[in-house]
Amino acid sequence: MKIIVSAGGTGGHLYPALALVEYIKTQDKEAEFLFVGTTDRLESQVVPQLGYAYRGLAVKGLVGNPIQKLKNALIFIKSLKKSKQILKEFQPDIVIGFGGYPSASIVMGASQLKIPTMIHEQNSIIGLTNKVLIKKVNKIVCCYEKAYNEFPSNKTVLLGNPRASVVAHQELKNIHDLYHIPASRQTVVIVMGSLGSSSVNRVMKEALRQMQYDDYDVIYVTGKNYYEDMQKELGDLQDSIHLVPYIDDMPSLISSCDVIVSRAGATTLAEITALGAAAIIIPSPYVVANHQEYNAMELVRAKAARMILEKDLNADAFVSEIRHLLKDQTLLQSLKAHACQLGKPHACEDIYQEILKTLERK
């Protein structure tokens, strides 16, 4: 099987794509892959380093003033022409788009050449690229009921995020061992993404000062850019507060902490539900179409998480919420159970089977 995968711009698009490709390799040793993305974003660096064939497209979104939109439209037309050249050279059996502007070019080109196509939507709010492609593709895979209800029912399946399969089956470490915390101590992990959040950090400076005297440990991920500043201000806190700039094994912490506090990116929530963690979600208000709040609402409605909007975030309310959760074991276990019910640990396997079905109908 020959597969073109397109995932452009962000890790939220790229890492689910990589997870699916890695799974397919275990099922089809002869499978060939070609990644198509941007020429200058995350995937253009990560994918070649992993040893996959890669082609970059110069493409931009249709945003800006009328003149800029026109320029970007002309760039898209050129990228569509290049996409067709790539398709004719590689001759894939199927093209799968995970979002981002390059997906529009390569998936649309495949559709015009009558090559089977699939798109994956990670968020509850349908991304602009996938909106454009709805009528062009053979199959749509989504992760949330909200998106599922907005896509055409005759070609949409609710199978989840491939990252859920990765964390559900990987070997996980224990937070108590990693940070030398007594096994009897409850733990809270607070992380606002790999880069951190300056606005949340401001609140957490006061919150952590209150939490240092409580009977639990806190792992606070400051973000690389803010670590030195937070260390200078909070370096005198009790040993129960652990400041770290970045964590490269979030699944282990999610799986073994008592409460995870995080943003509502698609990959993060896929991991939280796959691992059945109790979560407090603080959606980022700085994302397109406010999609993180909608993602978080899917968990809140299912009683699988609590949510605090950033505009309502303050130290006293936050600390009170943490204390309430840690003392209420019934609520804590209920959140975990409902998160498990939303989890899709077999996402990769299910999506792979859908690929095979799509090719059978070719």
Side-chain angles (χ1 to χ4, degrees):
M1 188 189 308
K2 300 181 73 174
I3 303 174
I4 284 182
V5 177
S6 182
T10 69
H13 294 143
L14 176 60
Y15 293 114
L18 287 169
L20 180 61
V21 166
E22 288 296 315
Y23 176 81
I24 294 174
K25 284 165 60 179
T26 68
Q27 304 301 304
D28 182 355
K29 304 296 184 184
E30 304 300 319
E32 295 182 45
F33 301 95
L34 172 64
F35 277 79
V36 175
T38 60
T39 57
D40 58 355
R41 301 291 294 277
L42 175 71
E43 67 277 9
S44 67
Q45 300 295 321
V46 172
V47 173
Q49 289 174 1
L50 293 173
Y52 290 108
Y54 185 84
R55 297 290 294 274
L57 296 174
V59 61
K60 297 182 179 180
L62 299 179
V63 294
N65 58 46
I67 294 176
Q68 189 61 53
K69 286 182 179 179
L70 178 59
K71 288 181 179 178
N72 292 349
L74 293 174
I75 291 172
F76 176 78
I77 292 171
K78 289 182 180 179
S79 73
L80 184 59
K81 182 178 179 180
K82 183 175 180 180
S83 292
K84 289 181 178 179
Q85 291 175 346
I86 292 171
L87 290 160
K88 290 174 182 177
E89 292 171 8
F90 189 71
Q91 297 186 348
D93 295 294
I94 190 169
V95 175
I96 308 174
F98 277 80
Y101 303 130
S103 290
S105 303
I106 197 73
V107 174
M108 191 173 293
S111 175
Q112 292 176 1
L113 294 175
K114 307 302 181 185
I115 298 169
T117 53
M118 173 185 286
I119 55 174
H120 184 275
E121 177 55 64
Q122 299 90 36
N123 293 301
S124 58
I125 297 294
I126 302 172
L128 178 59
T129 295
N130 283 345
K131 280 184 179 180
V132 170
L133 295 171
I134 288 175
K135 294 181 180 180
K136 308 289 184 182
V137 299
N138 301 100
K139 183 61 64 174
I140 301 168
V141 178
C142 62
C143 302
Y144 293 104
E145 287 284 351
K146 179 175 175 56
Y148 178 78
N149 292 332
E150 294 179 10
F151 281 122
S153 60
N154 63 320
K155 59 179 176 181
T156 305
V157 286
L158 179 59
L159 301 181
N161 190 313
R163 278 293 304 171
S165 294
V166 175
V167 300
H169 296 99
Q170 77 179 67
E171 183 177 347
L172 299 169
K173 299 174 184 177
N174 190 286
I175 192 171
H176 297 87
D177 296 331
L178 291 170
Y179 291 91
H180 308 291
I181 300 169
S184 60
R185 296 270 292 184
Q186 290 179 299
T187 55
V188 176
V189 173
I190 306 171
V191 54
M192 295 294 110
S194 59
L195 298 179
S197 165
S198 59
S199 54
V200 174
N201 278 348
R202 284 194 291 272
V203 175
M204 289 303 159
K205 287 176 181 178
E206 174 56 31
L208 292 171
R209 289 199 175 279
Q210 295 184 35
M211 296 164 80
Q212 68 177 317
Y213 301 111
D214 292 346
D215 57 350
Y216 53 84
D217 277 50
V218 179
I219 314 298
Y220 185 65
V221 185
T222 64
K224 292 179 180 178
N225 293 338
Y226 305 108
Y227 179 68
E228 289 187 10
D229 173 62
M230 295 292 281
Q231 273 283 72
K232 287 178 182 177
E233 286 211 35
L234 302 175
D236 61 339
L237 295 186
Q238 300 291 321
D239 292 342
S240 60
I241 306 298
H242 310 260
L243 297 181
V244 296
Y246 176 78
I247 292 175
D248 58 7
D249 185 11
M250 274 307 302
S252 287
L253 270 65
I254 291 172
S255 69
S256 58
C257 71
D258 292 277
V259 176
I260 174 72
V261 183
S262 77
R263 291 301 203 189
T267 297
T268 299
L269 296 191
E271 294 175 351
I272 286 172
T273 54
L275 295 169
I280 297 174
I281 310 298
I282 305 174
S284 171
Y286 313 109
V287 295
V288 176
N290 197 30
H291 67 257
Q292 285 205 6
E293 184 176 336
Y294 288 98
N295 288 351
M297 278 305 303
E298 294 284 313
L299 274 68
V300 172
R301 277 194 288 265
K303 299 180 180 179
R306 314 272 279 192
M307 179 171 68
I308 303 174
L309 296 180
E310 190 169 311
K311 66 181 179 64
D312 300 325
L313 183 66
N314 63 76
D316 291 341
F318 177 77
V319 175
S320 176
E321 179 75 357
I322 292 291
R323 290 169 177 167
H324 170 63
L325 263 185
L326 291 178
K327 289 178 181 177
D328 191 338
Q329 283 300 310
T330 300
L331 175 56
L332 208 59
Q333 295 307 315
S334 176
L335 289 173
K336 292 180 179 181
H338 285 106
C340 275
Q341 290 174 7
L342 286 182
K344 296 286 192 296
H346 303 293
C348 281
E349 178 183 348
D350 293 341
I351 294 171
Y352 178 60
Q353 291 302 318
E354 205 61 45
I355 291 170
L356 297 180
K357 291 178 186 176
T358 301
L359 292 179
E360 286 175 3
R361 302 187 193 108
K362 181 178 177 181

